[in-house]
Amino acid sequence: MQSSNGRPRGVGGDAESSVENHDGHALAPAEASASVRYDDPWYDALASGWGEASGDGVPVRATASARGEREDAAAAAADVYLEVQRSAAFQEVRSRYRRFVIPAGAAFFVWYLAYVVTATTAPGLMARPVAGAVNVAMLAGLGQFLTTFLLTWAYARHARLRRDRAALELRWDTQELTRGVRGGVL
């Protein structure tokens, strides 16, 4: 029988996995892990050692110095982001965002709640015909969709006119500061 990559399975001493039965006898765990081959086309040589077992069955770990350098760089990058968060420019962008979103969200919530409460407490009012088969409830329901689209348009316009340029400048500054912390490597 052949495997999907064209090699014969279970023939000779060519082990494909530690689970297979080789020539009628099972390999011992230490012998099986030593005989495992990595001929897989999807095997990533750059990531070798991550979670793989060494010959004695103990997982291989990254060196402490490389991990320490990464942690130092991450801590320095975190400091950059905290510095940007404390800046006046960032606080202004957040303030502009809150000044639009909180009142708009509250107004939309009140409008939706008024629609639901009116529909449940005053069914006679909602059933009043406006034109033909169209009643007040249908117009209010369509008004919900209309206000959703209007609110989305207003939010996008507000973001474009009041926040996007400042946020883009903050992003650029943050990337420049992070690039400087990491030594020019992203």
Side-chain angles (χ1 to χ4, degrees):
M1 179 192 288
Q2 288 223 337
S3 67
S4 61
N5 61 5
R7 295 186 317 226
R9 281 194 194 174
V11 177
D14 190 22
E16 284 190 43
S17 78
S18 59
V19 180
E20 288 184 2
N21 189 359
H22 298 280
D23 291 331
H25 67 279
L27 295 174
E31 185 179 286
S33 64
S35 66
V36 174
R37 290 184 37 190
Y38 293 107
D39 291 335
D40 183 9
W42 299 105
Y43 179 73
D44 188 0
L46 295 176
S48 63
W50 288 74
E52 296 175 2
S54 61
D56 56 0
V58 177
V60 179
R61 299 196 177 223
T63 60
S65 64
R67 181 179 295 143
E69 290 172 5
R70 275 186 264 132
E71 288 174 356
D72 291 343
D79 290 340
V80 167
Y81 285 103
L82 287 173
E83 177 184 337
V84 169
Q85 183 181 8
R86 291 182 190 116
S87 71
F90 182 83
Q91 296 304 321
E92 179 63 26
V93 169
R94 292 295 295 169
S95 173
R96 289 179 183 176
Y97 171 79
R98 288 184 186 124
R99 280 193 305 248
F100 179 83
V101 169
I102 292 173
F108 185 80
F109 182 70
V110 167
W111 159 230
Y112 174 74
L113 197 61
Y115 170 70
V116 171
V117 168
T118 306
T120 56
T121 60
L125 172 68
M126 298 300 265
R128 185 175 297 159
V130 175
V134 178
N135 59 17
V136 173
M138 292 175 77
L139 288 179
L142 291 173
Q144 291 288 315
F145 285 105
L146 179 64
T147 54
T148 300
F149 292 123
L150 286 174
L151 188 59
T152 303
W153 170 80
Y155 176 82
R157 183 175 184 273
H158 182 269
R160 185 182 70 244
L161 295 177
R162 310 279 166 111
R163 295 190 321 264
D164 283 353
R165 185 176 308 271
L168 188 61
E169 289 173 5
L170 276 170
R171 180 179 177 190
W172 183 260
D173 293 342
T174 304
Q175 287 179 350
E176 289 296 317
L177 289 171
T178 306
R179 208 175 274 130
V181 165
R182 293 183 182 172
V185 179
L186 282 177

